[in-house]
Amino acid sequence: MGKERPDIMMFLIPTTLGESIMFNYNESVSNELINPYMKTPGFAVLIFLLHPRGTGTVRLRNTDPFDSPILDTNHLTNKQDEDDLLAGIRMFEELISTEVMKSLGADLSINEASFCSHHQFRSDDFWRCMIRHIAHNFYHSTSTCKMGIKGDPTAVVDLDLRVQGIKNLRVCDASVFPSVTSANTNAPVMAIAEKFADMLKKERKTFT
């Protein structure tokens, strides 16, 4: 209540999570929370933190351009991020307690993991423990190559998507977002691509 934009998204999928390799959980977590239910009819809910406050880094590993960079996501380094995920879990608990969900046989008890059993099941401490064990980054990563005005020391590209300080190099993807957008990124990425296409067309007309 009182927030200017949503900070949590619930994503219900009409299947259990299936292959644990998708989430890269260690064997003990997979054996307890995923593998036993791979062929069980049901649904799963993913609770997304839309605007994480923790700031990660992308650094060069060395001078070899073909070596992978060093990525540090810094997930959950800001306590408010954990608090927001906990609030999302509490919202889902309210949903799962409705008569419609009960009629479907929806049950949270399969989340009673042994690795968090030193906390009372469904207590704040229990869910925080679960967040620390199973929260992960998803596939809508953005904002590693910020777009900004000329003179902004934090900007990598300018408003025409040119990499500042390097000639004839531009970036046109989700990395140029100045901040993480709410929900899925496909629409704003298409907007960036359309903007870039229009700029290129105008520049071509200028040279012809």
Side-chain angles (χ1 to χ4, degrees):
M1 295 293 291
K3 295 186 177 181
E4 295 181 354
R5 61 183 181 180
D7 53 10
I8 289 292
M9 178 175 73
M10 290 187 191
F11 183 39
L12 276 73
I13 52 178
T15 179
T16 50
L17 294 180
E19 294 291 341
S20 60
I21 192 173
M22 174 182 178
F23 302 99
N24 199 31
Y25 291 142
N26 65 37
E27 188 174 349
S28 61
V29 172
S30 297
N31 286 341
E32 189 164 350
L33 292 182
I34 296 179
N35 297 342
Y37 307 104
M38 287 179 62
K39 296 182 179 180
T40 302
F43 68 90
V45 62
L46 306 178
I47 298 175
F48 290 92
L49 180 64
L50 295 180
H51 300 286
R53 292 167 177 81
T55 302
T57 60
V58 180
R59 294 177 295 159
L60 295 178
R61 188 176 299 275
N62 51 47
T63 58
D64 186 343
F66 296 102
D67 271 1
S68 299
I70 300 172
L71 304 178
D72 186 354
T73 60
N74 276 331
H75 288 325
L76 301 177
T77 53
N78 187 302
K79 185 177 180 298
Q80 188 61 51
D81 288 347
E82 186 178 297
D83 291 343
D84 289 345
L85 285 172
L86 175 60
I89 292 172
R90 293 305 186 195
M91 291 171 62
F92 180 66
E93 284 183 312
E94 293 181 16
L95 175 64
I96 211 76
S97 65
T98 61
E99 292 303 318
V100 172
M101 285 293 185
K102 289 179 180 178
S103 69
L104 295 174
D107 184 9
L108 282 172
S109 64
I110 63 172
N111 293 285
E112 198 168 355
S114 63
F115 45 81
C116 291
S117 60
H118 51 293
H119 301 297
Q120 182 181 354
F121 181 50
R122 294 180 63 173
S123 66
D124 283 359
D125 287 338
F126 176 84
W127 289 129
R128 290 182 188 278
C129 175
M130 290 288 284
I131 289 170
R132 290 285 172 176
H133 275 83
I134 67 175
H136 57 86
N137 187 39
F138 221 55
Y139 48 75
H140 293 294
S141 299
T142 73
S143 310
T144 58
C145 191
K146 176 183 174 181
M147 174 174 57
I149 61 174
K150 186 176 181 179
D152 181 352
T154 67
V156 177
V157 300
D158 62 19
L159 300 184
D160 291 323
L161 304 182
R162 294 185 176 92
V163 176
Q164 301 194 71
I166 301 178
K167 292 183 178 180
N168 301 320
L169 179 61
R170 281 169 153 160
V171 176
C172 179
D173 56 31
S175 65
V176 304
F177 296 166
S179 59
V180 181
T181 58
S182 296
N184 293 16
T185 58
N186 56 321
V189 166
M190 286 188 283
I192 288 286
E194 290 285 352
K195 169 184 168 66
F196 184 53
D198 285 342
M199 287 191 297
L200 289 180
K201 286 189 290 185
K202 289 179 181 177
E203 289 177 8
R204 176 166 292 187
K205 288 181 181 178
T206 300
F207 290 119
T208 57

